Amino acid sequence: MTPPRIGFRQIPSNTTTTTARTLHRGRVWLLSLTAVTLIASLSLFYGASHGARIMCTEAVPAVSGVINARQALIGADADAITALPGTSAPLTGPGNDYAGEITLATQSLQQVAAVNAAGTNGTQTLQLLGSMISTYSGMIENATTAYAGGNRLLGLSEFWYASNFLHEKDSLLDKLSLLDTQEEEALGSQDSSFWISTWTIPLWAVPAAALLATLVIMQVILSRRLRRTLNPGLAAATLLAVVALVAAPILAAITDHRLSTTVSTLGLVRTDAPSLSAEADLGGQSSFLKLLTKACPGCAATRNAVNAVTIQDRQAKSLPSPQVAKLSEQTDRLGAVASVDLGLCIGLGIGALAVGALVTAGLWRRIYEYRYQA
Amino acid sequence: MRHLRSRTTALALALGAGLALTASSWSGQASDASDASGRKVTIVGVWTGPEETTFKKMVLDPSKIDYTYVGGRNLDQLIRSDVQNGTPPDIAVVASPTDLSEFAQELVPLSAAVANSTALSPLWRKLAQYQGQQYGVVLKADLKGIVWYKQGALPSALNPTAPTWAQLKTLTSTSKPWCMGLGADAGSGFPGTDWISEIMLRSFGPADYSKWVEGQLEWRSTQVKQAFKTWGTILDGVRGGAASAMLTNDSTAGAAMFAPKQGCSLDSEGSFITSDYPAKSSYDFFPFPGIGADQSGPAYEVAANFAGQFNHGPQKAAATRMMAYLAGDAGQEQWQKAGDYSVDQHLQATGSTQAAKTIAGILQDRTGKNATLCFGGSDLMSSAMSAAFDQAVLTFASNQSTLPDLLKQLQAVQDSTTTRPGAVCGN
C-alpha cells in the first residue's frame, strides 16, 4: 500500500523509526496469527463435522441395512418352514410373507451398497450376498414344490439344506456379519475423535491464544508508547476473535459429544440386534425340529445341530431390545449440528477477514504517523 | 400359480443383479492405496472358514502379492453375473474344470511356464484345457472312491487287506455299516452323485465311465440304471435308511464312526473328509472294490480345485504372477505343508500319515501300477447337468420308484447341453 504523499516529504524506507518498525512487525504478526488461527479452527470444525456427516449418511444406514437384511432373511426362513406343513398345493409357493421378506432383505443390502465404505472388500461381500440370497430363494422354492407335491421327505430335506445355507458357520448370516464388520472397520477409521483429543487442543488453542495475546500486547504498546487509551480497530478485532475462537470449539465439542453418543448407541444396537430376529428364528427352528423328529427319529446329529441354533436364539432373546428409536433420534440431532458446518466455515472466514481488516485499519494511521519518530 | 414361484425367483435374481450393479465392480472402487495403485489381485474361491484361513495364510500370503479374497459356496452364479456385467474377479478358484470351461472365452490363455506343465501328468494338463489351450491350473487334488474306517475297527466280515464287493454287499444287507450324509447346503446331493460315479467306474470300467460323463452313454442305459439301483441297496445299508442319509450333513456323517457307540463303520468319501473327522482320531482307508467284470486295471476317481484368470484390467500382470505362483512348485509345496495333496510331480509325495502318503502317491502317479485316474463324473458335467444330477439323486433317495422318470429327465437335460470335458480318464 502506498502512503499518501500530499504535504509530506518523501523519506527513504530504510530511515523508518523504531516505533514504526514495532507497529509494522505487530501488524505482520497479527495478520499471520489470524490466518493460522483461521486455518486451525476450520480444520478443527471440519474434522468434527466430517465425522458426524459420515455417521449420519453412511454408518447408520449401513448398520441399519445389515440389521434389516438379517431380520428379513430369518423372517423369510421362519415363514417358509411355518407354511410348509400347511402347503398342500404345489402352486402356492413359499407364500407372500416369505416373498416380502426376501424383497426386503435384498433392498436392505442395496441400501448398504449405496453407502458402502469398505471399498473392494465390501463390494465383494455385497456381491456374494446378492448371489447367496438368490440361491437360498431357489432352494426354498425347491423345498416347497417337493413338499407340496407329496414328497414330504425330500421337501423337508431341501428346506433343511436351505436353512443350513442360511444359518451354518460361514454361510449367509455369517457373510452378513462379515459385511457389518467390514463397514464398521472402514467407518471407524473416519472417527472424528482425533480433532477433539487432548493433545490436538494445542493445535488450535496455541495460535488462538497467541493471536489474543498479540492483540492485547499491541493495545498495551499503543497505550504506553503512543499514549492512546484504546485503539478501536484492535479492540473490535479482539472482540471478534474471541467470539469466533470460542464459538468454533464449542460447536465442535457439541458435535463431537453427539457423535460419541451416537457411536455408542450404534454399538449397542449392533450388539443387541440378534434379539430382533430371535423370536422368529426360534419359532421357525422349533417347527422344523418337530417335523424332523417325526420324519427321522434317528437323526440325532441333525437334531443336535438344530437344537444348538435354538439355544443361540434363546440367548439372543434375553438381550436387551436394541435402541433403534434412540439411534434414529440421535442421528437426527447429530445431522442437525453437522449441517451448520458450511455456515460456520463461511462465518469463520468472514470473521477472520474482518479481524485482518480491523487490525490493518487500526494500525494504519499509527504506522503512518510514527514512521519517522523514535 | 407356478408363475408365482417363478416370479419370486425372478424378483430375487433381479434384485440380486441390481445389488451387484449398485455394488460396482470387483475392482471398481479404489478405497485404499493398494486398490488405487491397481496392484491388488481380486480372488474369489470356494473355500470359507478354516479352509479359507489356510488358503490365505499358508498359500496366498507367502506369494508376497497383494490380494483380496472372498470365499463362497455358490460361486458359479456369482461369477456368471459378474462376467455378464463385465466385472469378473482377476482369479476364480472353482471346484471343477467345467466351471472354468464355461467361461473359457473370458479367461486368459496360460503359457506352459505359468501352468507349470512339465510338473503335471497328461490327465491333469488336459483337464484344464479348452480347444488345446491351457486356461486353468490345478491348485490341489483329492482322491475319491475310497472307504474310510476307524483304525482297528474294520468290520470282521471284510478281508483286512482287500475287501471285496461280495463281502461289502453281504455286510450292507446284514449290519447297515454305511455312514452317509447327502446334505451339503447349496451343493446337497453331490455325495450321492459321487456314489453313482464310483459305482459306474467300478462296475463298468473307465471306458464306459468316460462315455457316460461325455454324454455318449445315455442316462436311460442299462449301466446307469444299474448304478442307481446298486446305490439304492447301499442306501438301505445306512442306519436310519434314506431319511437319515438325506437329513444328515456330508461333513458330519463320518463322525459317528468315532463315537463311543459306533453309529456306522464305513464312510465312502474323498480324501478331503478327514479334516472333518474328530481331532486325534485314527483312521485308514481301502479303495472301493471292483463291482463288475471289468479287468482294465486299477482305476481311481479323483477331484481337484482349479484356478482361472480372467482378462481383466490393470491387475493382469499381477494376476498372472499369482497364477504362476499358485501352479508353481513354491505354491504347491505350500499346499502340501497345509496338509493337502498336490499333483506336482516335481515334489515328493508326502503326508503326515501312511494313508496320506499313499493318497499323495496315487495322485502323483507314483504307485508304479499304471493306475488310471478318472475325474469325478458330476464335476465334469455342465453346471445344468450337474445340478440336475444332484437333484435327481436326492429325489431317488427319497423315493426309489421314481428312477425311470428321473433318468428320462436327466437325459433331456443332457440332450440340451453342449459342454464336453477336455478329458475324463487317463494317467
Side-chain angles (χ1 to χ4, degrees):
Chain A
M1 195 174 290
T2 310
R5 294 183 176 195
I6 299 166
F8 293 92
R9 189 164 47 95
Q10 185 71 38
I11 301 294
S13 60
N14 58 1
T15 60
T16 311
T17 67
T18 308
T19 303
R21 278 204 299 275
T22 303
L23 292 172
H24 192 73
R25 281 182 195 144
R27 184 178 62 180
V28 169
W29 272 104
L30 283 171
L31 291 177
S32 305
L33 284 169
T34 304
V36 170
T37 308
L38 172 70
I39 291 165
S41 300
L42 285 176
S43 303
L44 165 74
F45 189 71
Y46 177 77
S49 63
H50 178 69
R53 277 198 309 277
I54 293 288
M55 180 57 61
C56 294
T57 58
E58 294 182 17
V60 172
V63 170
S64 305
V66 172
I67 290 172
N68 291 341
R70 182 187 173 85
Q71 208 178 337
L73 285 169
I74 288 177
D77 202 58
D79 285 342
I81 189 62
T82 309
L84 209 55
T87 307
S88 53
L91 304 176
T92 52
N96 288 337
D97 290 346
Y98 163 85
E101 297 282 22
I102 290 291
T103 305
L104 179 61
T106 317
Q107 284 173 343
S108 301
L109 287 179
Q110 282 175 330
Q111 176 189 327
V112 181
V115 295
N116 172 35
T120 308
N121 286 338
T123 305
Q124 283 179 324
T125 309
L126 276 161
Q127 287 177 320
L128 185 62
L129 279 165
S131 167
M132 289 177 96
I133 290 175
S134 293
T135 302
Y136 170 79
S137 177
M139 292 167 82
I140 287 289
E141 284 175 25
N142 279 347
T144 313
T145 307
Y147 202 92
N151 195 337
R152 303 261 155 136
L153 174 60
L154 181 62
L156 191 64
S157 302
E158 301 238 34
F159 171 79
W160 178 59
Y161 305 148
S163 193
N164 258 355
F165 187 66
L166 185 74
H167 287 91
E168 232 181 25
K169 197 162 167 49
D170 303 315
S171 244
L172 222 166
L173 293 180
D174 271 6
K175 291 293 174 194
L176 265 179
S177 301
L178 172 68
L179 177 67
D180 186 38
T181 308
Q182 287 170 336
E183 296 295 331
E184 183 191 11
E185 283 173 1
L187 292 162
S189 64
Q190 300 176 30
D191 194 323
S192 72
S193 58
F194 167 82
W195 295 100
I196 302 292
S197 63
T198 314
W199 69 274
T200 53
I201 288 176
L203 286 180
W204 59 269
V206 167
L211 174 62
L212 284 172
T214 312
L215 281 165
V216 172
I217 288 166
M218 284 307 294
Q219 283 285 15
V220 172
I221 289 172
L222 289 172
S223 168
R224 287 187 182 167
R225 292 176 76 165
L226 311 178
R227 286 174 295 282
R228 305 277 172 177
T229 51
L230 188 70
N231 183 308
L234 289 190
T238 308
L239 191 65
L240 254 180
V242 167
V243 170
L245 299 177
V246 168
I250 285 176
L251 202 50
I254 293 170
T255 307
D256 194 67
H257 172 69
R258 289 189 183 177
L259 179 59
S260 14
T261 312
T262 313
V263 166
S264 163
T265 309
L266 189 63
L268 282 175
V269 166
R270 183 183 270 126
T271 311
D272 299 337
S275 74
L276 284 172
S277 42
E279 184 76 46
D281 201 39
L282 190 58
Q285 294 295 303
S286 301
S287 297
F288 173 69
L289 206 52
K290 280 181 199 159
L291 294 172
L292 172 69
T293 308
K294 199 174 162 190
C296 183
C299 292
T302 306
R303 268 206 317 280
N304 291 342
V306 180
N307 268 326
V309 176
T310 61
I311 289 168
Q312 282 174 4
D313 286 335
R314 287 198 178 89
Q315 284 169 349
K317 260 180 79 178
S318 65
L319 288 171
S321 189
Q323 301 169 308
V324 177
K326 190 174 171 186
L327 176 66
S328 171
E329 183 193 322
Q330 287 176 349
T331 307
D332 288 346
R333 291 182 64 204
L334 183 63
V337 76
S339 66
V340 302
D341 64 333
L342 181 63
L344 189 83
C345 288
I346 293 169
L348 279 174
I350 292 172
L353 283 174
V355 169
L358 288 166
V359 165
T360 307
L363 293 178
W364 165 251
R365 285 202 68 80
R366 303 288 83 78
I367 289 171
Y368 185 71
E369 279 173 21
Y370 291 93
R371 59 191 168 152
Y372 306 129
Q373 295 179 28
Chain B
M1 288 295 281
R2 184 182 176 82
H3 294 148
L4 269 184
R5 286 195 312 281
S6 308
R7 216 162 50 205
T8 314
T9 308
L11 179 65
L13 287 170
L15 291 171
L19 180 63
L21 285 172
T22 313
S24 186
S25 68
W26 291 103
S27 56
Q29 295 201 355
S31 68
D32 54 48
S34 297
D35 286 333
S37 67
R39 286 196 298 269
K40 201 171 257 192
V41 178
T42 56
I43 304 171
V44 295
V46 289
W47 298 303
T48 60
E51 286 183 313
E52 176 180 338
T53 308
T54 301
F55 181 48
K56 282 154 80 169
K57 286 194 175 165
M58 293 294 294
V59 182
L60 292 177
D61 288 352
S63 73
K64 310 285 182 203
I65 300 168
D66 280 345
Y67 69 90
T68 63
Y69 174 84
V70 64
R73 302 180 188 190
N74 58 330
L75 289 175
D76 288 7
Q77 196 182 334
L78 179 64
I79 296 171
R80 192 162 284 115
S81 72
D82 287 337
V83 167
Q84 281 169 358
N85 291 336
T87 58
D90 295 324
I91 293 173
V93 178
V94 295
S96 82
T98 310
D99 289 343
L100 283 185
S101 67
E102 290 182 357
F103 301 112
Q105 305 297 331
E106 319 293 332
L107 292 165
V108 177
L110 304 173
S111 66
V114 170
N116 197 17
S117 295
T118 58
L120 303 177
S121 67
L123 174 71
W124 293 113
R125 277 202 304 273
K126 284 182 195 165
L127 279 166
Q129 284 179 355
Y130 179 75
Q131 295 179 347
Q133 175 64 56
Q134 201 75 31
Y135 58 84
V137 298
V138 183
L139 293 190
K140 65 167 185 167
D142 277 293
L143 187 64
K144 286 184 171 180
I146 49 180
V147 181
W148 295 95
Y149 59 91
K150 183 182 174 184
Q151 207 160 39
L154 184 71
S156 56
L158 300 179
N159 181 337
T161 50
T164 65
W165 172 240
Q167 291 168 344
L168 275 177
K169 213 170 153 184
T170 307
L171 187 69
T172 298
S173 60
T174 54
S175 68
K176 297 186 180 293
W178 294 104
C179 314
M180 195 187 296
L182 298 177
D185 296 343
S188 292
F190 94 81
T193 66
D194 279 355
W195 265 105
I196 303 286
S197 300
E198 186 59 24
I199 293 168
M200 280 295 293
L201 180 62
R202 299 293 175 184
S203 301
F204 308 108
D208 274 0
Y209 177 85
S210 298
K211 281 186 194 167
W212 168 61
V213 174
E214 287 167 348
Q216 294 168 22
L217 182 67
E218 287 225 349
W219 283 91
R220 288 169 296 193
S221 66
T222 315
Q223 291 95 318
V224 179
K225 205 176 289 176
Q226 192 178 320
F228 267 91
K229 283 183 175 170
T230 303
W231 184 53
T233 63
I234 299 281
L235 269 171
D236 293 337
V238 176
R239 204 166 294 174
S244 173
M246 292 186 71
L247 286 160
T248 299
N249 256 339
D250 169 62
S251 58
T252 56
M257 285 196 299
F258 304 99
K261 189 184 170 191
Q262 258 197 333
C264 53
S265 53
L266 299 174
D267 189 17
S268 178
E269 278 284 3
S271 51
F272 48 79
I273 199 68
T274 55
S275 62
D276 290 316
Y277 286 163
K280 295 182 182 171
S281 51
S282 303
Y283 40 80
D284 206 345
F285 76 91
F286 61 85
F288 203 96
I291 296 174
D294 176 67
Q295 298 297 319
S296 56
Y300 295 96
E301 197 187 345
V302 294
N305 291 105
F306 294 81
Q309 179 188 346
F310 286 89
N311 192 348
H312 178 57
Q315 293 92 344
K316 187 180 173 185
T320 304
R321 276 208 321 280
M322 179 63 94
M323 288 290 282
Y325 163 77
L326 289 171
D329 298 345
Q332 290 295 305
E333 200 169 2
Q334 289 302 120
W335 277 117
Q336 286 190 329
K337 284 180 186 168
D340 287 301
Y341 301 104
S342 167
V343 294
D344 185 335
Q345 292 180 329
H346 292 161
L347 304 177
Q348 293 294 314
T350 59
S352 56
T353 62
Q354 187 51 47
K357 279 179 198 159
T358 307
I359 290 168
I362 294 169
L363 289 169
Q364 289 186 11
D365 196 20
R366 290 176 191 274
T367 58
K369 293 179 183 170
N370 197 28
T372 301
L373 301 184
C374 293
F375 207 83
S378 66
D379 289 338
L380 286 176
M381 295 172 186
S382 68
S383 51
M385 188 72 250
S386 179
F389 193 10
D390 285 350
Q391 194 62 36
V393 297
L394 290 173
T395 309
F396 174 75
S398 67
N399 181 359
Q400 296 192 18
S401 69
T402 57
L403 183 60
D405 196 37
L406 286 173
L407 294 177
K408 194 176 159 190
Q409 289 177 45
L410 285 168
Q411 187 57 44
V413 178
Q414 178 66 58
D415 291 342
S416 64
T417 186
T418 54
T419 305
R420 295 287 178 269
V424 180
C425 295
N427 43 28

